[in-house]
Amino acid sequence: MNNWDAIEFAQQIRQKKVSTEEAVCYCIDQIEKLNPKINAVVSKQYDEALVLAKTKSFTDKVFGGVPILLKDLGQQQKGQPSTSGSRLFASYKAAQTDNFVKKLEDLGFIVLGRTNTPEFGFKNVSDSSLHGIVRLPLDLNRHAGGSSGGAAAALSSGMVPLVAASDGGGSIRIPASFNGLLGLKPTRGRIPVGPTSFRGWQGASSNFALTKSVRDTKTLLFYLQTCQMESPFPLPILKKAELENQLTQSLKIAYSYRSPIGNSISKAAKKAMDKTLRFLEKQGYELIEVDQTGVDGIEAMKSYYIMNSVETAAMFDDIEEAIGRQVTVEDMEVMTWAIYQSGQSILAKDFSKTLSQWDQYSRIMSEFHQTYDLYLTPTTTDVAPPLDAFNLSSDLKEKLLHLSEYTMLEQQDLIWTMFEKSLAWTPFTQQANLTGQPSMSLPVYKTKDGLPIGVQITAAKGREDLLLQLAQLFENEQQLEYGFVQ
């Protein structure tokens, strides 16, 4: 079962070659065997899963009986833990089930537990003080990525055939690159939201999954998608044929090796791009190198940090009301405290201007895709980072602890410095979150040491079909190098 994707699991169960209970027990055994070294899974609900496996019929479900893990951030299931990687929520259990999770349950998935994330999903590595570091299954001395790091490690190590994930700035695509997986961030509004939160990080954040086959991604997207009129971003439904059709059109593909914040990329990232471009050229597609899209990468990231600061301050207002007291620096990690404090200083008019910037970025990219069908970049500037890559200096930590003593502009400069090292590793992913475009990381290359790195393909809003048709071509022609641990 180790090499089966979710579709194969469902087919084997449907054909009664494997029972649902056998599938669940197999994945439980894999988690128990692999998790002590990787630290991908932070809560388990085996008893509930086994009851479902023994008593529920899944014959009419597309993913009937398939074991899955949810991300321990924003994917709530009533009565189950939901810590967000935070000490504040170490004992919290969800009061209701999110619409996204309800849809997964409706499709027949059986939840086995939750995967590790950084505190509140703020980092591109998963190392919360509550649950500890998620290690890359292919090299335990490296990070598995974030914020869906536990999800990616669980999938690439073989614990389950598919994992739920989310992406607010690259949190699906970054660990997909590091782990050698497929990572699609859908168009804003494509995936169910609510019933309480409808615009996570002002629409930057989206739930979906990490997968180990194109057919899993296509099938899951088709059955998860919604035109949700109560949400702020309703979308037309994609037709099944649009996802299943072979790629026939002539493509005009823009590409860039250049980081949007101007830092260098590694030899591995260059080789991943070189390999991808050679393949695309062989297919006869028109390839045009562009310097950038027209969006200022540094200004876009500054706007992202402003949004994050304000949203975090609002989140802690709600938390304080729920727990009946003010939060303190002892309640959270220093980086979270700094983001929270910075949100206290940003004026409403400046936040409004930031969101207007995002609308302009969306306009720029809409015009860009009138000329180019797709935009190709590295997903990350290098392979998975060593465990000590992003440690903060003691001097910076001290400044972050006293962030309230600085002006608003000084605070934002310190936030930039706080993320500077980690952003240099992952500068390509955030733009699609601001514009709402679909963007996908493809596992196209491995170094001589066997470490994966991906390329990112971005399409116009609503054009997941184009991304998935191209991904299918890569898979059919054996151009994808998955990072599964054998």
Side-chain angles (χ1 to χ4, degrees):
M1 294 184 194
N2 192 48
N3 295 321
W4 292 358
D5 63 3
I7 293 292
E8 184 65 24
F9 260 82
Q11 288 175 347
Q12 293 287 328
I13 292 169
R14 194 174 300 114
Q15 295 167 7
K16 301 189 184 304
K17 295 179 180 179
V18 172
S19 71
T20 306
E21 186 178 358
E22 286 172 331
V24 167
C25 286
Y26 171 80
C27 290
I28 289 173
D29 288 344
Q30 289 291 97
I31 294 169
E32 291 302 298
K33 179 176 72 173
L34 299 168
N35 199 56
K37 289 184 179 180
I38 298 169
N39 194 32
V41 179
V42 295
S43 69
K44 303 164 185 177
Q45 53 193 80
Y46 297 162
D47 291 342
E48 298 93 324
L50 287 167
V51 168
L52 282 175
K54 292 174 182 177
T55 62
K56 189 171 181 178
S57 172
F58 295 96
T59 53
D60 60 339
K61 307 291 186 181
V62 64
F63 289 105
V66 177
I68 193 173
L69 291 162
L70 301 178
K71 183 176 177 178
D72 190 29
L73 177 67
Q75 297 180 357
Q76 297 195 14
Q77 191 180 31
K78 186 175 180 179
Q80 296 298 332
S82 184
T83 74
S84 300
S86 169
R87 296 190 300 273
L88 275 168
F89 292 97
S91 302
Y92 177 74
K93 293 191 176 180
Q96 63 183 356
T97 300
D98 293 337
N99 288 335
F100 171 72
V101 175
K102 285 180 183 177
K103 189 66 174 178
L104 290 175
E105 293 173 333
D106 289 344
L107 294 179
F109 286 107
I110 296 179
V111 178
L112 299 186
R114 272 145 200 80
T115 56
N116 203 342
T117 79
E119 187 172 57
F120 298 113
F122 292 141
K123 300 183 188 178
N124 58 8
V125 296
S126 301
D127 62 350
S128 78
S129 61
L130 176 65
H131 295 303
I133 295 171
V134 181
R135 296 173 183 267
L136 186 74
L138 289 162
D139 182 345
L140 298 178
N141 295 308
R142 295 177 182 270
H143 284 289
S147 63
S148 304
L155 183 60
S156 64
S157 65
M159 294 182 188
V160 289
L162 188 148
V163 288
S166 62
D167 193 315
S171 293
I172 287 175
R173 290 159 288 155
I174 291 165
S177 179
F178 294 160
N179 285 266
L181 301 168
L182 285 166
L184 171 67
K185 183 201 80 71
T187 301
R188 179 181 295 157
R190 179 72 68 201
I191 303 301
V193 292
T196 53
S197 175
F198 286 90
R199 51 169 76 232
W201 285 3
Q202 292 301 316
S205 183
S206 174
N207 286 309
F208 191 57
L210 286 149
T211 67
K212 58 197 299 185
S213 71
V214 177
R215 69 176 184 174
D216 274 3
T217 309
K218 289 194 294 188
T219 305
L220 185 64
L221 183 69
F222 176 74
Y223 285 100
L224 267 183
Q225 68 174 327
T226 182
C227 180
Q228 199 171 355
M229 297 309 295
E230 74 271 25
S231 82
F233 312 111
L235 277 180
I237 294 290
L238 285 165
K239 297 177 182 177
K240 196 166 190 178
E242 292 175 316
L243 298 176
E244 295 293 343
N245 286 345
Q246 296 295 310
L247 189 60
T248 56
Q249 72 181 85
S250 176
L251 295 177
K252 192 172 184 179
I253 302 174
Y255 70 91
S256 179
Y257 289 75
R258 183 176 176 271
S259 161
I261 62 168
N263 64 303
S264 62
I265 68 172
S266 68
K267 289 181 179 179
K270 291 175 182 175
K271 287 181 178 180
M273 285 288 289
D274 290 345
K275 177 188 173 185
T276 302
L277 289 166
R278 285 195 301 269
F279 174 69
L280 292 171
E281 185 177 33
K282 187 178 178 182
Q283 306 310 306
Y285 300 134
E286 185 179 358
L287 305 173
I288 301 97
E289 186 168 14
V290 298
D291 184 50
Q292 284 293 298
T293 61
V295 174
D296 185 314
I298 291 176
E299 289 304 313
M301 278 310 305
K302 288 180 178 179
S303 78
Y304 181 82
Y305 293 149
I306 286 175
M307 174 280 298
N308 211 269
S309 298
V310 172
E311 291 293 299
T312 301
M315 175 185 72
F316 277 113
D317 278 356
D318 291 340
I319 289 172
E320 288 179 339
E321 184 177 351
I323 65 177
R325 65 171 178 85
Q326 285 191 327
V327 295
T328 69
V329 68
E330 284 77 23
D331 290 315
M332 64 196 77
E333 297 172 21
V334 62
M335 294 178 77
T336 302
W337 176 257
I339 297 168
Y340 168 42
Q341 292 303 299
S342 68
Q344 309 289 346
S345 304
I346 298 167
L347 298 176
K349 64 181 181 180
D350 292 327
F351 186 52
S352 178
K353 290 175 184 177
T354 293
L355 299 183
S356 293
Q357 273 183 277
W358 290 16
D359 293 340
Q360 290 303 311
Y361 298 154
S362 292
R363 176 191 60 78
I364 290 169
M365 291 310 299
S366 178
E367 292 173 358
F368 181 86
H369 283 291
Q370 290 175 23
T371 302
Y372 305 107
D373 298 297
L374 297 169
Y375 182 46
L376 172 70
T377 68
T379 306
T380 55
T381 61
D382 208 344
V383 298
L387 297 181
D388 61 354
F390 306 142
N391 291 348
L392 302 179
S393 70
S394 55
D395 178 63
L396 179 57
K397 284 183 180 179
E398 188 65 22
K399 290 177 179 177
L400 296 175
L401 288 170
H402 296 89
L403 200 80
S404 62
E405 300 171 13
Y406 295 88
T407 68
M408 180 269 196
L409 291 178
E410 289 171 335
Q411 288 176 352
Q412 288 304 305
D413 285 342
L414 284 168
I415 295 296
W416 182 276
T417 302
M418 181 176 80
F419 283 117
E420 194 165 20
K421 287 182 182 178
S422 59
L423 177 62
W425 224 280
T426 59
F428 294 100
T429 54
Q430 295 83 8
Q431 181 176 302
N433 296 86
L434 308 192
T435 61
Q437 294 169 253
S439 187
M440 187 174 193
S441 182
L442 301 180
V444 297
Y445 184 73
K446 288 182 182 177
T447 67
K448 63 182 180 180
D449 297 322
L451 294 174
I453 189 168
V455 295
Q456 176 179 259
I457 305 177
T458 303
K461 283 182 182 178
R463 293 307 309 269
E464 288 95 335
D465 60 316
L466 202 53
L467 295 180
L468 290 167
Q469 288 170 15
L470 188 63
Q472 189 67 69
L473 177 64
F474 271 76
E475 191 174 73
N476 290 348
E477 297 297 321
Q478 298 181 328
Q479 294 298 306
L480 299 183
E481 298 191 30
Y482 291 105
F484 313 140
V485 178
Q486 301 298 326

